[in-house]
Amino acid sequence: DAGVTQSPTHLIKTRGQQVTLRCSPKSGHDTVSWYQQALGQGPQFIFQYYEEEERQRGNFPDRFSGHQFPNYSSELNVNALLLGDSALYLCASSLVDRDNSPLHFGNGTRLTVT
Amino acid sequence: QQQVKQSPQSLIVQKGGISIINCAYENTAFDYFPWYQQFPGKGPALLIAIRPDVSEKKEGRFTISFNKSAKQFSLHIMDSQPGDSATYFCAASRAGAGSYQLTFGKGTKLSVIP
């Protein structure tokens, strides 16, 4: 049973560039959420996708955008990268209509902005 | 405004001892309280979760205690083992947000020494 997979594992970008991160949810899951984890901090909710639409969003600027595909996989896009965007980006999946469906996290993509 | 406050920031426990991590929340709309364990280089993994209709939940060596009136909850790890050495995060979500829009604490780095 494949868990949540993310690619790439590491990425180095220059300030001002754009980046795309990818996520495949756990088999059978239909909703994907993205989190940003700065070094030494807890993860912060970016947004959640279900049925190919953004359903909920945390306190992140419009530079952060996403997409969900018909196979439930998802992408996170960040435009105009800032040094402060350096973090571990975590994808998590769950079942949207199961109240007790826990979040399953991937191992993340480590983004470094120089 | 930090909605979930976690303490201590770090904790050193002898093998076989009890590890206790505390969290306090402010938002009375929160109704789901999970604890996650994160090893270096890995994503967070769900340990145990509780809803406010019960005051305690036990799974193996892990117990959550919940005090709704004080808006506090804690994780107890009994018979702590070196393999428990990891960072632990408490989290909370509000009704309607499901399990996917979690607000995390800042984490507690637990070291269990032989």
Side-chain angles (χ1 to χ4, degrees), chain B residues 7-8 11 13 18-22 74-77 108:
Chain B
S7 63
L11 183 61
V13 174
I18 303 173
S19 303
I20 302 174
I21 304 170
N22 300 299
S74 60
L75 175 70
H76 290 62
I77 306 174
T108 296

Side-chain angles (χ1 to χ4, degrees), chain B residues 15-53:
Chain B
K15 179 183 174 181
I18 303 173
S19 303
I20 302 174
I21 304 170
N22 300 299
C23 283
Y25 63 96
E26 299 164 1
N27 189 343
T28 55
F30 286 150
D31 73 339
Y32 173 71
F33 303 89
W35 284 88
Y36 280 82
Q37 178 190 57
Q38 187 175 29
F39 292 104
K42 300 292 186 181
L46 179 68
L47 261 182
I48 186 172
I50 197 168
R51 292 196 180 268
D53 52 343

